[in-house]
Amino acid sequence: ILTTHAAGNKVLSSNGFKGKIGGKYYPIIRAIVEKNESKFIRALTDKTNLTGREKSNFKFRAVSQIKAAAEMAMLSLTDYTSHSQLTEMCVKYEIDCHELFLPEIQGIIEVGLKSGSGIDFCDMLWLPVKLNMKFPKYDFVFCDEGQDFNAAQLALIERFSKNGVTG
């Protein structure tokens, strides 16, 4: 008996992915926000000089929005290279992510794909599917609360089954 995260992590481990779990994308996103801080502030506020507190709040919101959109792109198996699909995804899932941030998501995910800095919780679900890794096959895979699975979890579960997925 495994959770989908544990099952995905097991596949990652058996395919050579090792490392610390959690927090992988946060430093990447913070670095992007820091690098583009003035461009983002100019585009998203009417102020030219923010106070220290305003700047800190702005950075926090930017990091949160980008992280939420990047994680949903992975979990929904959205084509993160398509600006229009990312926009549709944000509308569908009501993610408050400014359009200016969307081009950054592709870079974040691609850096995460190449990064040896660990495994994020989203990686456990989408990387085995995205990288078409080898899965152990089972005659039966039983799942509870299937209505709550996201696209990455469903794709992961399908890969474990010898005979596909049935209702």
Side-chain angles (χ1 to χ4, degrees):
I1 296 177
L2 297 173
T3 66
T4 53
H5 282 88
N9 193 39
K10 189 173 184 176
V11 171
L12 287 171
S13 294
S14 69
N15 282 274
F17 277 73
K18 306 258 189 263
K20 185 180 118 186
I21 294 176
K24 172 179 167 181
Y25 293 95
Y26 184 73
I28 299 167
I29 296 168
R30 273 193 57 99
I32 287 171
V33 170
E34 291 288 336
K35 177 182 169 199
N36 295 296
E37 177 183 317
S38 58
K39 176 176 86 172
F40 290 165
I41 289 173
R42 275 194 313 275
L44 302 176
T45 70
D46 55 359
K47 294 184 175 184
T48 53
N49 292 323
L50 297 179
T51 67
R53 183 179 197 88
E54 289 172 325
K55 194 178 281 191
S56 178
N57 287 341
F58 176 83
K59 288 180 189 178
F60 176 79
R61 279 195 330 274
V63 168
S64 297
Q65 288 180 15
I66 293 168
K67 188 172 188 301
E71 286 177 348
M72 185 55 75
M74 290 183 258
L75 296 177
S76 64
L77 301 179
T78 298
D79 179 1
Y80 61 88
T81 65
S82 167
H83 189 86
S84 64
Q85 285 194 28
L86 286 173
T87 301
E88 288 173 24
M89 177 204 70
C90 287
V91 169
K92 178 180 180 178
Y93 295 106
E94 298 178 359
I95 298 170
D96 182 22
C97 186
H98 194 279
E99 190 170 313
L100 183 64
F101 299 149
L102 295 181
E104 305 297 340
I105 292 169
Q106 179 178 357
I108 291 162
I109 293 175
E110 288 178 356
V111 167
L113 280 169
K114 298 172 188 164
S115 174
S117 64
I119 299 168
D120 193 82
F121 290 104
C122 289
D123 291 343
M124 293 177 195
L125 299 175
W126 87 285
L127 270 182
V129 174
K130 171 70 177 163
L131 299 177
N132 202 23
M133 293 180 166
K134 184 177 176 168
F135 281 70
K137 297 292 185 184
Y138 300 99
D139 292 326
F140 299 98
V141 178
F142 294 96
C143 301
D144 191 19
E145 302 295 331
Q147 74 276 8
D148 295 331
F149 292 147
N150 58 47
Q153 288 172 311
L154 287 171
L156 186 79
I157 291 165
E158 282 180 358
R159 302 282 171 94
F160 282 111
S161 174
K162 285 182 183 176
N163 302 311
V165 174
T166 59

